[in-house]
Amino acid sequence: MSDPSNGPTRPAILGGEAVRPSGPPDWPLRDEAVLDVLKLAWESGTWGHYHGGHVKQLSDRVSRMLAVEHVIPCASGTVAIELALRGLKIGPGDEVILSAYDFKGNFQNILTLGAVPVLVDVGERDWHLSTADLKAAVTPQTKALLVSHLHGGMVAMPAVMEFARENKLPVIEDACQMPGAVIGGRQAGTWGDIGIWSFGGSKLLTAGRGGLLYTNRADVAQRVHLYAHRGNESYPLSELQAAVLGPQLDALEQRNATRASNVKELRELLLTIPGLHPFTESLTDSQPGFYKLGLQFETALWGGLSRDRFAQAMRAEGIAIDPGFRSLHRIHSARRFRTASLLREADRADEQVLTLHHPILLTESAAELREIAISARKIRDHAEEIAKLKAE
Ligand SMILES: *Cc1c(COP(=O)(O)O)cnc(C)c1O
């Protein structure tokens, strides 16, 4: 006989039954349309060509979709940001402003070029770049802003662009997490001088690896092309990678809509769980993308349970929730960056962001969506007991 205390109401991390014994859904989807293009690429031999038409097709398509002049596919989102910085002639001694809560590779890219990251705090309501803090960050050395839309939230692009224009600074807009999103009535990534996408293995559009940058600035495109063609293309996306992205672009709008509608539903479900708040949408005429759904974990309301332990307990239930990024000032030596203000909210973000991974957001089952809230509720009901578990 099984122990009745280990039933479905007991958290899996305490020996109970997991809410989703099969774990989170797989990514990528087993898309028949992707299989078709793989077959076609094999039949035509284009899978093994330098120039088989797929990369060109992808570039043209993104160019039309975003109404941008120049699209440059490359090996990853990280490489695209490096190329963007090079396209803006960022070099030793220059300063680039970015949010203290951001993707680590963005910080690293600035260092790679010998430039200095200047970190600004995030706003308390959405933990995205605080535009109020930008002014204090500018010096004669400032050469660019690098801003990222993260976890289903968004940077206030109208305010950022106004600031950038006043200070004559170019903007790199990292839309790796939300291709096809709309921010203040425009496609994400098209506010800035340069926009960035990633096709990494976990991303909404995936080729396993890959990325691209887009811009309307001919001077930037020319410098990037020059840099990326050192006798040969040195940072390319392959034909095979480009081929598998076509069908995913076909489905993007519809899948973005499904994810957005499920997030709306999930927001309602999570209202019943104190201390777990999804990032809110703060700009009108916007539909962010959901590579992750960011959540603020209000530690004080969880009876001593830490954010990391909560994530571990959710994973044990079969829900793909993880701690967010580490804030950049907390994982790098202070010699590597400059700050313009206190990073109080970035400190909180470092400790309190959770992210729900996107595949579950394509579900067509309301029951499956409810499993997320059921898991959180179960953990909440046993928070003190879970908090007392020894570290792994
Ligand atoms: C994934 C990601 C990147 C980098 O993309 P890769 O293709 O993995 O190099 C950059 N910025 C953000 C916000 C991302 O989420």
PDB file of all heavy atoms in Angstrom, residues 27-29 77-78 103 150 174-179 197-210 245 248 252 259 290-292 325 357-359:
ATOM      1  N   TRP A  27      10.479  20.897 -26.603  1.00  0.00           N
ATOM      2  CA  TRP A  27      10.743  21.934 -27.594  1.00  0.00           C
ATOM      3  C   TRP A  27      11.971  21.535 -28.360  1.00  0.00           C
ATOM      4  O   TRP A  27      12.902  21.054 -27.740  1.00  0.00           O
ATOM      5  CB  TRP A  27      10.942  23.305 -26.910  1.00  0.00           C
ATOM      6  CG  TRP A  27      10.928  24.414 -27.904  1.00  0.00           C
ATOM      7  CD1 TRP A  27      12.015  25.088 -28.415  1.00  0.00           C
ATOM      8  CD2 TRP A  27       9.767  24.984 -28.527  1.00  0.00           C
ATOM      9  NE1 TRP A  27      11.601  26.026 -29.307  1.00  0.00           N
ATOM     10  CE2 TRP A  27      10.233  25.985 -29.408  1.00  0.00           C
ATOM     11  CE3 TRP A  27       8.403  24.729 -28.454  1.00  0.00           C
ATOM     12  CZ2 TRP A  27       9.370  26.747 -30.202  1.00  0.00           C
ATOM     13  CZ3 TRP A  27       7.545  25.482 -29.234  1.00  0.00           C
ATOM     14  CH2 TRP A  27       8.036  26.480 -30.094  1.00  0.00           C
ATOM     15  N   PRO A  28      12.001  21.700 -29.689  1.00  0.00           N
ATOM     16  CA  PRO A  28      10.955  22.248 -30.547  1.00  0.00           C
ATOM     17  C   PRO A  28       9.783  21.288 -30.724  1.00  0.00           C
ATOM     18  O   PRO A  28       9.858  20.121 -30.345  1.00  0.00           O
ATOM     19  CB  PRO A  28      11.667  22.457 -31.885  1.00  0.00           C
ATOM     20  CG  PRO A  28      12.767  21.457 -31.879  1.00  0.00           C
ATOM     21  CD  PRO A  28      13.197  21.318 -30.449  1.00  0.00           C
ATOM     22  N   LEU A  29       8.699  21.816 -31.305  1.00  0.00           N
ATOM     23  CA  LEU A  29       7.542  21.002 -31.633  1.00  0.00           C
ATOM     24  C   LEU A  29       7.932  20.024 -32.746  1.00  0.00           C
ATOM     25  O   LEU A  29       8.857  20.282 -33.501  1.00  0.00           O
ATOM     26  CB  LEU A  29       6.389  21.886 -32.133  1.00  0.00           C
ATOM     27  CG  LEU A  29       5.906  22.960 -31.174  1.00  0.00           C
ATOM     28  CD1 LEU A  29       4.893  23.864 -31.863  1.00  0.00           C
ATOM     29  CD2 LEU A  29       5.296  22.326 -29.933  1.00  0.00           C
ATOM     30  N   GLY A  77      22.418  34.986 -31.648  1.00  0.00           N
ATOM     31  CA  GLY A  77      22.007  36.301 -31.159  1.00  0.00           C
ATOM     32  C   GLY A  77      23.194  37.029 -30.540  1.00  0.00           C
ATOM     33  O   GLY A  77      23.341  38.244 -30.698  1.00  0.00           O
ATOM     34  N   THR A  78      24.034  36.281 -29.862  1.00  0.00           N
ATOM     35  CA  THR A  78      25.215  36.884 -29.226  1.00  0.00           C
ATOM     36  C   THR A  78      26.142  37.478 -30.278  1.00  0.00           C
ATOM     37  O   THR A  78      26.627  38.605 -30.132  1.00  0.00           O
ATOM     38  CB  THR A  78      25.951  35.820 -28.375  1.00  0.00           C
ATOM     39  OG1 THR A  78      25.032  35.337 -27.388  1.00  0.00           O
ATOM     40  CG2 THR A  78      27.168  36.393 -27.699  1.00  0.00           C
ATOM     41  N   PHE A 103      20.725  39.980 -20.113  1.00  0.00           N
ATOM     42  CA  PHE A 103      21.409  38.768 -20.561  1.00  0.00           C
ATOM     43  C   PHE A 103      22.920  38.962 -20.434  1.00  0.00           C
ATOM     44  O   PHE A 103      23.463  39.963 -20.896  1.00  0.00           O
ATOM     45  CB  PHE A 103      21.007  38.506 -22.025  1.00  0.00           C
ATOM     46  CG  PHE A 103      21.605  37.278 -22.625  1.00  0.00           C
ATOM     47  CD1 PHE A 103      21.240  36.019 -22.170  1.00  0.00           C
ATOM     48  CD2 PHE A 103      22.524  37.374 -23.663  1.00  0.00           C
ATOM     49  CE1 PHE A 103      21.790  34.875 -22.743  1.00  0.00           C
ATOM     50  CE2 PHE A 103      23.072  36.239 -24.241  1.00  0.00           C
ATOM     51  CZ  PHE A 103      22.702  34.990 -23.776  1.00  0.00           C
ATOM     52  N   LEU A 150      12.549  41.509 -22.047  1.00  0.00           N
ATOM     53  CA  LEU A 150      12.783  40.228 -21.396  1.00  0.00           C
ATOM     54  C   LEU A 150      11.535  39.652 -20.739  1.00  0.00           C
ATOM     55  O   LEU A 150      10.727  40.390 -20.167  1.00  0.00           O
ATOM     56  CB  LEU A 150      13.843  40.397 -20.303  1.00  0.00           C
ATOM     57  CG  LEU A 150      15.221  40.896 -20.760  1.00  0.00           C
ATOM     58  CD1 LEU A 150      16.090  41.200 -19.542  1.00  0.00           C
ATOM     59  CD2 LEU A 150      15.893  39.887 -21.669  1.00  0.00           C
ATOM     60  N   ASP A 174      17.454  44.600 -28.384  1.00  0.00           N
ATOM     61  CA  ASP A 174      17.549  43.143 -28.337  1.00  0.00           C
ATOM     62  C   ASP A 174      16.144  42.546 -28.224  1.00  0.00           C
ATOM     63  O   ASP A 174      15.516  42.596 -27.168  1.00  0.00           O
ATOM     64  CB  ASP A 174      18.421  42.759 -27.124  1.00  0.00           C
ATOM     65  CG  ASP A 174      18.560  41.260 -26.932  1.00  0.00           C
ATOM     66  OD1 ASP A 174      17.782  40.495 -27.544  1.00  0.00           O
ATOM     67  OD2 ASP A 174      19.437  40.854 -26.139  1.00  0.00           O
ATOM     68  N   ALA A 175      15.660  41.993 -29.346  1.00  0.00           N
ATOM     69  CA  ALA A 175      14.330  41.364 -29.370  1.00  0.00           C
ATOM     70  C   ALA A 175      14.466  39.846 -29.479  1.00  0.00           C
ATOM     71  O   ALA A 175      13.566  39.173 -29.985  1.00  0.00           O
ATOM     72  CB  ALA A 175      13.505  41.931 -30.519  1.00  0.00           C
ATOM     73  N   CYS A 176      15.598  39.320 -28.979  1.00  0.00           N
ATOM     74  CA  CYS A 176      15.845  37.861 -29.063  1.00  0.00           C
ATOM     75  C   CYS A 176      14.706  37.058 -28.460  1.00  0.00           C
ATOM     76  O   CYS A 176      14.418  35.953 -28.899  1.00  0.00           O
ATOM     77  CB  CYS A 176      17.134  37.502 -28.330  1.00  0.00           C
ATOM     78  SG  CYS A 176      18.621  37.979 -29.227  1.00  0.00           S
ATOM     79  N   GLN A 177      14.078  37.608 -27.435  1.00  0.00           N
ATOM     80  CA  GLN A 177      13.040  36.847 -26.736  1.00  0.00           C
ATOM     81  C   GLN A 177      11.647  37.068 -27.317  1.00  0.00           C
ATOM     82  O   GLN A 177      10.698  36.444 -26.848  1.00  0.00           O
ATOM     83  CB  GLN A 177      13.036  37.201 -25.239  1.00  0.00           C
ATOM     84  CG  GLN A 177      14.364  36.875 -24.568  1.00  0.00           C
ATOM     85  CD  GLN A 177      14.235  36.693 -23.073  1.00  0.00           C
ATOM     86  OE1 GLN A 177      13.207  36.990 -22.475  1.00  0.00           O
ATOM     87  NE2 GLN A 177      15.291  36.198 -22.453  1.00  0.00           N
ATOM     88  N   MET A 178      11.522  37.942 -28.307  1.00  0.00           N
ATOM     89  CA  MET A 178      10.165  38.175 -28.793  1.00  0.00           C
ATOM     90  C   MET A 178      10.040  38.564 -30.260  1.00  0.00           C
ATOM     91  O   MET A 178       9.498  39.623 -30.583  1.00  0.00           O
ATOM     92  CB  MET A 178       9.392  39.131 -27.893  1.00  0.00           C
ATOM     93  CG  MET A 178      10.072  40.372 -27.436  1.00  0.00           C
ATOM     94  SD  MET A 178       9.040  41.222 -26.184  1.00  0.00           S
ATOM     95  CE  MET A 178       9.446  40.312 -24.690  1.00  0.00           C
ATOM     96  N   PRO A 179      10.452  37.673 -31.163  1.00  0.00           N
ATOM     97  CA  PRO A 179      10.198  37.952 -32.577  1.00  0.00           C
ATOM     98  C   PRO A 179       8.696  38.073 -32.820  1.00  0.00           C
ATOM     99  O   PRO A 179       7.918  37.280 -32.299  1.00  0.00           O
ATOM    100  CB  PRO A 179      10.764  36.707 -33.289  1.00  0.00           C
ATOM    101  CG  PRO A 179      10.764  35.632 -32.250  1.00  0.00           C
ATOM    102  CD  PRO A 179      11.036  36.344 -30.947  1.00  0.00           C
ATOM    103  N   TRP A 197      17.572  39.349 -33.306  1.00  0.00           N
ATOM    104  CA  TRP A 197      16.839  38.115 -33.012  1.00  0.00           C
ATOM    105  C   TRP A 197      17.822  36.978 -32.747  1.00  0.00           C
ATOM    106  O   TRP A 197      18.949  37.009 -33.241  1.00  0.00           O
ATOM    107  CB  TRP A 197      15.988  37.684 -34.215  1.00  0.00           C
ATOM    108  CG  TRP A 197      14.699  38.413 -34.417  1.00  0.00           C
ATOM    109  CD1 TRP A 197      14.230  39.498 -33.728  1.00  0.00           C
ATOM    110  CD2 TRP A 197      13.709  38.114 -35.415  1.00  0.00           C
ATOM    111  NE1 TRP A 197      13.010  39.882 -34.238  1.00  0.00           N
ATOM    112  CE2 TRP A 197      12.672  39.044 -35.275  1.00  0.00           C
ATOM    113  CE3 TRP A 197      13.609  37.144 -36.420  1.00  0.00           C
ATOM    114  CZ2 TRP A 197      11.540  39.047 -36.085  1.00  0.00           C
ATOM    115  CZ3 TRP A 197      12.492  37.134 -37.233  1.00  0.00           C
ATOM    116  CH2 TRP A 197      11.464  38.078 -37.066  1.00  0.00           C
ATOM    117  N   SER A 198      17.345  35.992 -32.002  1.00  0.00           N
ATOM    118  CA  SER A 198      18.122  34.763 -31.795  1.00  0.00           C
ATOM    119  C   SER A 198      17.323  33.565 -32.286  1.00  0.00           C
ATOM    120  O   SER A 198      16.099  33.529 -32.144  1.00  0.00           O
ATOM    121  CB  SER A 198      18.420  34.581 -30.300  1.00  0.00           C
ATOM    122  OG  SER A 198      18.802  33.240 -30.030  1.00  0.00           O
ATOM    123  N   PHE A 199      18.022  32.592 -32.859  1.00  0.00           N
ATOM    124  CA  PHE A 199      17.393  31.313 -33.234  1.00  0.00           C
ATOM    125  C   PHE A 199      17.990  30.175 -32.419  1.00  0.00           C
ATOM    126  O   PHE A 199      18.128  29.047 -32.886  1.00  0.00           O
ATOM    127  CB  PHE A 199      17.587  31.046 -34.741  1.00  0.00           C
ATOM    128  CG  PHE A 199      17.082  32.154 -35.621  1.00  0.00           C
ATOM    129  CD1 PHE A 199      17.891  32.696 -36.615  1.00  0.00           C
ATOM    130  CD2 PHE A 199      15.800  32.670 -35.465  1.00  0.00           C
ATOM    131  CE1 PHE A 199      17.441  33.721 -37.442  1.00  0.00           C
ATOM    132  CE2 PHE A 199      15.333  33.705 -36.286  1.00  0.00           C
ATOM    133  CZ  PHE A 199      16.154  34.230 -37.275  1.00  0.00           C
ATOM    134  N   GLY A 200      18.401  30.472 -31.189  1.00  0.00           N
ATOM    135  CA  GLY A 200      18.974  29.456 -30.312  1.00  0.00           C
ATOM    136  C   GLY A 200      17.974  28.339 -30.023  1.00  0.00           C
ATOM    137  O   GLY A 200      16.773  28.475 -30.259  1.00  0.00           O
ATOM    138  N   GLY A 201      18.485  27.232 -29.509  1.00  0.00           N
ATOM    139  CA  GLY A 201      17.719  26.002 -29.364  1.00  0.00           C
ATOM    140  C   GLY A 201      16.493  26.077 -28.474  1.00  0.00           C
ATOM    141  O   GLY A 201      15.600  25.230 -28.575  1.00  0.00           O
ATOM    142  N   SER A 202      16.426  27.062 -27.604  1.00  0.00           N
ATOM    143  CA  SER A 202      15.257  27.158 -26.722  1.00  0.00           C
ATOM    144  C   SER A 202      14.306  28.262 -27.167  1.00  0.00           C
ATOM    145  O   SER A 202      13.237  28.436 -26.590  1.00  0.00           O
ATOM    146  CB  SER A 202      15.725  27.459 -25.293  1.00  0.00           C
ATOM    147  OG  SER A 202      16.442  28.682 -25.275  1.00  0.00           O
ATOM    148  N   LYS A 203      14.698  29.017 -28.184  1.00  0.00           N
ATOM    149  CA  LYS A 203      13.958  30.238 -28.527  1.00  0.00           C
ATOM    150  C   LYS A 203      12.670  29.960 -29.301  1.00  0.00           C
ATOM    151  O   LYS A 203      12.453  28.859 -29.790  1.00  0.00           O
ATOM    152  CB  LYS A 203      14.872  31.177 -29.330  1.00  0.00           C
ATOM    153  CG  LYS A 203      16.111  31.618 -28.545  1.00  0.00           C
ATOM    154  CD  LYS A 203      15.775  32.618 -27.456  1.00  0.00           C
ATOM    155  CE  LYS A 203      16.788  32.670 -26.350  1.00  0.00           C
ATOM    156  NZ  LYS A 203      17.747  33.732 -26.409  1.00  0.00           N
ATOM    157  N   LEU A 204      11.852  30.995 -29.455  1.00  0.00           N
ATOM    158  CA  LEU A 204      10.532  30.833 -30.093  1.00  0.00           C
ATOM    159  C   LEU A 204      10.656  30.439 -31.560  1.00  0.00           C
ATOM    160  O   LEU A 204       9.801  29.722 -32.088  1.00  0.00           O
ATOM    161  CB  LEU A 204       9.719  32.128 -29.962  1.00  0.00           C
ATOM    162  CG  LEU A 204       9.398  32.563 -28.534  1.00  0.00           C
ATOM    163  CD1 LEU A 204       8.609  33.874 -28.538  1.00  0.00           C
ATOM    164  CD2 LEU A 204       8.621  31.486 -27.782  1.00  0.00           C
ATOM    165  N   LEU A 205      11.684  30.963 -32.229  1.00  0.00           N
ATOM    166  CA  LEU A 205      12.028  30.502 -33.579  1.00  0.00           C
ATOM    167  C   LEU A 205      13.377  29.822 -33.415  1.00  0.00           C
ATOM    168  O   LEU A 205      14.342  30.479 -33.027  1.00  0.00           O
ATOM    169  CB  LEU A 205      12.187  31.682 -34.538  1.00  0.00           C
ATOM    170  CG  LEU A 205      10.971  32.572 -34.801  1.00  0.00           C
ATOM    171  CD1 LEU A 205      11.394  33.802 -35.607  1.00  0.00           C
ATOM    172  CD2 LEU A 205       9.891  31.791 -35.541  1.00  0.00           C
ATOM    173  N   THR A 206      13.454  28.531 -33.677  1.00  0.00           N
ATOM    174  CA  THR A 206      14.732  27.880 -33.414  1.00  0.00           C
ATOM    175  C   THR A 206      15.307  27.144 -34.613  1.00  0.00           C
ATOM    176  O   THR A 206      14.593  26.515 -35.382  1.00  0.00           O
ATOM    177  CB  THR A 206      14.635  26.911 -32.211  1.00  0.00           C
ATOM    178  OG1 THR A 206      15.912  26.326 -32.020  1.00  0.00           O
ATOM    179  CG2 THR A 206      13.605  25.823 -32.441  1.00  0.00           C
ATOM    180  N   ALA A 207      16.628  27.298 -34.736  1.00  0.00           N
ATOM    181  CA  ALA A 207      17.390  26.494 -35.685  1.00  0.00           C
ATOM    182  C   ALA A 207      18.505  25.784 -34.921  1.00  0.00           C
ATOM    183  O   ALA A 207      19.509  25.393 -35.490  1.00  0.00           O
ATOM    184  CB  ALA A 207      17.964  27.384 -36.776  1.00  0.00           C
ATOM    185  N   GLY A 208      18.313  25.654 -33.611  1.00  0.00           N
ATOM    186  CA  GLY A 208      19.356  25.078 -32.761  1.00  0.00           C
ATOM    187  C   GLY A 208      20.360  26.143 -32.361  1.00  0.00           C
ATOM    188  O   GLY A 208      20.669  26.325 -31.190  1.00  0.00           O
ATOM    189  N   ARG A 209      20.862  26.854 -33.362  1.00  0.00           N
ATOM    190  CA  ARG A 209      21.727  28.031 -33.185  1.00  0.00           C
ATOM    191  C   ARG A 209      21.320  29.045 -34.235  1.00  0.00           C
ATOM    192  O   ARG A 209      20.634  28.699 -35.180  1.00  0.00           O
ATOM    193  CB  ARG A 209      23.202  27.682 -33.410  1.00  0.00           C
ATOM    194  CG  ARG A 209      23.733  26.597 -32.526  1.00  0.00           C
ATOM    195  CD  ARG A 209      24.154  27.149 -31.186  1.00  0.00           C
ATOM    196  NE  ARG A 209      24.537  26.062 -30.289  1.00  0.00           N
ATOM    197  CZ  ARG A 209      24.836  26.243 -29.019  1.00  0.00           C
ATOM    198  NH1 ARG A 209      24.779  27.463 -28.501  1.00  0.00           N
ATOM    199  NH2 ARG A 209      25.168  25.248 -28.249  1.00  0.00           N
ATOM    200  N   GLY A 210      21.827  30.232 -34.107  1.00  0.00           N
ATOM    201  CA  GLY A 210      21.592  31.222 -35.157  1.00  0.00           C
ATOM    202  C   GLY A 210      21.004  32.504 -34.604  1.00  0.00           C
ATOM    203  O   GLY A 210      20.571  32.569 -33.450  1.00  0.00           O
ATOM    204  N   LEU A 245      13.636  27.597 -40.512  1.00  0.00           N
ATOM    205  CA  LEU A 245      12.978  28.766 -39.910  1.00  0.00           C
ATOM    206  C   LEU A 245      11.747  29.210 -40.693  1.00  0.00           C
ATOM    207  O   LEU A 245      10.836  29.820 -40.129  1.00  0.00           O
ATOM    208  CB  LEU A 245      13.981  29.919 -39.784  1.00  0.00           C
ATOM    209  CG  LEU A 245      15.058  29.667 -38.720  1.00  0.00           C
ATOM    210  CD1 LEU A 245      16.241  30.618 -38.888  1.00  0.00           C
ATOM    211  CD2 LEU A 245      14.462  29.799 -37.312  1.00  0.00           C
ATOM    212  N   GLN A 248       8.461  27.962 -39.360  1.00  0.00           N
ATOM    213  CA  GLN A 248       8.220  28.528 -38.028  1.00  0.00           C
ATOM    214  C   GLN A 248       7.774  29.981 -38.128  1.00  0.00           C
ATOM    215  O   GLN A 248       6.968  30.450 -37.315  1.00  0.00           O
ATOM    216  CB  GLN A 248       9.475  28.397 -37.162  1.00  0.00           C
ATOM    217  CG  GLN A 248       9.864  26.948 -36.896  1.00  0.00           C
ATOM    218  CD  GLN A 248      11.135  26.850 -36.058  1.00  0.00           C
ATOM    219  OE1 GLN A 248      11.122  27.146 -34.872  1.00  0.00           O
ATOM    220  NE2 GLN A 248      12.229  26.442 -36.677  1.00  0.00           N
ATOM    221  N   LEU A 252       4.360  31.823 -36.728  1.00  0.00           N
ATOM    222  CA  LEU A 252       4.721  32.701 -35.602  1.00  0.00           C
ATOM    223  C   LEU A 252       3.555  33.528 -35.072  1.00  0.00           C
ATOM    224  O   LEU A 252       3.307  33.576 -33.864  1.00  0.00           O
ATOM    225  CB  LEU A 252       5.884  33.621 -36.000  1.00  0.00           C
ATOM    226  CG  LEU A 252       6.387  34.551 -34.887  1.00  0.00           C
ATOM    227  CD1 LEU A 252       7.002  33.746 -33.743  1.00  0.00           C
ATOM    228  CD2 LEU A 252       7.409  35.550 -35.430  1.00  0.00           C
ATOM    229  N   ARG A 259       0.082  31.966 -27.268  1.00  0.00           N
ATOM    230  CA  ARG A 259       0.854  32.185 -26.039  1.00  0.00           C
ATOM    231  C   ARG A 259       0.295  33.369 -25.257  1.00  0.00           C
ATOM    232  O   ARG A 259       0.126  33.303 -24.039  1.00  0.00           O
ATOM    233  CB  ARG A 259       2.339  32.422 -26.383  1.00  0.00           C
ATOM    234  CG  ARG A 259       3.099  31.148 -26.717  1.00  0.00           C
ATOM    235  CD  ARG A 259       4.595  31.420 -26.909  1.00  0.00           C
ATOM    236  NE  ARG A 259       4.893  31.991 -28.200  1.00  0.00           N
ATOM    237  CZ  ARG A 259       5.348  31.293 -29.255  1.00  0.00           C
ATOM    238  NH1 ARG A 259       5.575  29.998 -29.156  1.00  0.00           N
ATOM    239  NH2 ARG A 259       5.591  31.898 -30.395  1.00  0.00           N
ATOM    240  N   PHE A 290       6.368  35.860 -25.641  1.00  0.00           N
ATOM    241  CA  PHE A 290       6.585  35.102 -24.403  1.00  0.00           C
ATOM    242  C   PHE A 290       7.539  33.940 -24.608  1.00  0.00           C
ATOM    243  O   PHE A 290       7.131  32.793 -24.689  1.00  0.00           O
ATOM    244  CB  PHE A 290       5.248  34.635 -23.826  1.00  0.00           C
ATOM    245  CG  PHE A 290       4.393  35.780 -23.372  1.00  0.00           C
ATOM    246  CD1 PHE A 290       3.382  36.263 -24.175  1.00  0.00           C
ATOM    247  CD2 PHE A 290       4.624  36.396 -22.161  1.00  0.00           C
ATOM    248  CE1 PHE A 290       2.601  37.346 -23.771  1.00  0.00           C
ATOM    249  CE2 PHE A 290       3.865  37.477 -21.744  1.00  0.00           C
ATOM    250  CZ  PHE A 290       2.844  37.955 -22.552  1.00  0.00           C
ATOM    251  N   TYR A 291       8.815  34.259 -24.669  1.00  0.00           N
ATOM    252  CA  TYR A 291       9.852  33.212 -24.646  1.00  0.00           C
ATOM    253  C   TYR A 291       9.915  32.646 -23.229  1.00  0.00           C
ATOM    254  O   TYR A 291      10.084  31.464 -23.010  1.00  0.00           O
ATOM    255  CB  TYR A 291      11.183  33.823 -25.065  1.00  0.00           C
ATOM    256  CG  TYR A 291      12.386  33.007 -24.704  1.00  0.00           C
ATOM    257  CD1 TYR A 291      12.563  31.729 -25.230  1.00  0.00           C
ATOM    258  CD2 TYR A 291      13.355  33.506 -23.835  1.00  0.00           C
ATOM    259  CE1 TYR A 291      13.675  30.971 -24.893  1.00  0.00           C
ATOM    260  CE2 TYR A 291      14.467  32.760 -23.501  1.00  0.00           C
ATOM    261  CZ  TYR A 291      14.621  31.502 -24.033  1.00  0.00           C
ATOM    262  OH  TYR A 291      15.720  30.762 -23.684  1.00  0.00           O
ATOM    263  N   LYS A 292       9.774  33.547 -22.285  1.00  0.00           N
ATOM    264  CA  LYS A 292       9.578  33.188 -20.877  1.00  0.00           C
ATOM    265  C   LYS A 292       8.459  34.083 -20.374  1.00  0.00           C
ATOM    266  O   LYS A 292       8.280  35.181 -20.885  1.00  0.00           O
ATOM    267  CB  LYS A 292      10.816  33.494 -20.033  1.00  0.00           C
ATOM    268  CG  LYS A 292      12.120  32.917 -20.536  1.00  0.00           C
ATOM    269  CD  LYS A 292      12.348  31.528 -20.033  1.00  0.00           C
ATOM    270  CE  LYS A 292      13.686  30.983 -20.520  1.00  0.00           C
ATOM    271  NZ  LYS A 292      13.854  29.572 -20.173  1.00  0.00           N
ATOM    272  N   PHE A 325      17.790  35.713 -14.645  1.00  0.00           N
ATOM    273  CA  PHE A 325      19.206  36.041 -14.802  1.00  0.00           C
ATOM    274  C   PHE A 325      19.777  36.487 -13.463  1.00  0.00           C
ATOM    275  O   PHE A 325      19.059  36.987 -12.598  1.00  0.00           O
ATOM    276  CB  PHE A 325      19.389  37.226 -15.767  1.00  0.00           C
ATOM    277  CG  PHE A 325      18.935  36.969 -17.175  1.00  0.00           C
ATOM    278  CD1 PHE A 325      18.403  38.005 -17.932  1.00  0.00           C
ATOM    279  CD2 PHE A 325      19.048  35.714 -17.752  1.00  0.00           C
ATOM    280  CE1 PHE A 325      18.002  37.799 -19.249  1.00  0.00           C
ATOM    281  CE2 PHE A 325      18.650  35.500 -19.072  1.00  0.00           C
ATOM    282  CZ  PHE A 325      18.117  36.545 -19.815  1.00  0.00           C
ATOM    283  N   HIS A 357       9.182  28.724 -18.657  1.00  0.00           N
ATOM    284  CA  HIS A 357       9.605  28.480 -20.038  1.00  0.00           C
ATOM    285  C   HIS A 357       8.383  28.317 -20.946  1.00  0.00           C
ATOM    286  O   HIS A 357       7.367  27.776 -20.532  1.00  0.00           O
ATOM    287  CB  HIS A 357      10.511  27.251 -20.073  1.00  0.00           C
ATOM    288  CG  HIS A 357      11.303  27.138 -21.334  1.00  0.00           C
ATOM    289  ND1 HIS A 357      11.832  28.223 -21.979  1.00  0.00           N
ATOM    290  CD2 HIS A 357      11.660  26.060 -22.069  1.00  0.00           C
ATOM    291  CE1 HIS A 357      12.473  27.826 -23.063  1.00  0.00           C
ATOM    292  NE2 HIS A 357      12.373  26.517 -23.145  1.00  0.00           N
ATOM    293  N   HIS A 358       8.528  28.773 -22.208  1.00  0.00           N
ATOM    294  CA  HIS A 358       7.362  28.964 -23.077  1.00  0.00           C
ATOM    295  C   HIS A 358       6.583  27.755 -23.585  1.00  0.00           C
ATOM    296  O   HIS A 358       5.394  27.902 -23.884  1.00  0.00           O
ATOM    297  CB  HIS A 358       7.770  29.808 -24.288  1.00  0.00           C
ATOM    298  CG  HIS A 358       8.767  29.127 -25.181  1.00  0.00           C
ATOM    299  ND1 HIS A 358       8.395  28.265 -26.165  1.00  0.00           N
ATOM    300  CD2 HIS A 358      10.124  29.155 -25.225  1.00  0.00           C
ATOM    301  CE1 HIS A 358       9.477  27.806 -26.789  1.00  0.00           C
ATOM    302  NE2 HIS A 358      10.546  28.329 -26.223  1.00  0.00           N
ATOM    303  N   PRO A 359       7.180  26.547 -23.755  1.00  0.00           N
ATOM    304  CA  PRO A 359       6.405  25.508 -24.477  1.00  0.00           C
ATOM    305  C   PRO A 359       5.004  25.247 -23.923  1.00  0.00           C
ATOM    306  O   PRO A 359       4.067  25.054 -24.696  1.00  0.00           O
ATOM    307  CB  PRO A 359       7.298  24.268 -24.366  1.00  0.00           C
ATOM    308  CG  PRO A 359       8.686  24.836 -24.304  1.00  0.00           C
ATOM    309  CD  PRO A 359       8.550  26.091 -23.464  1.00  0.00           C
TER     310      PRO A 359
END
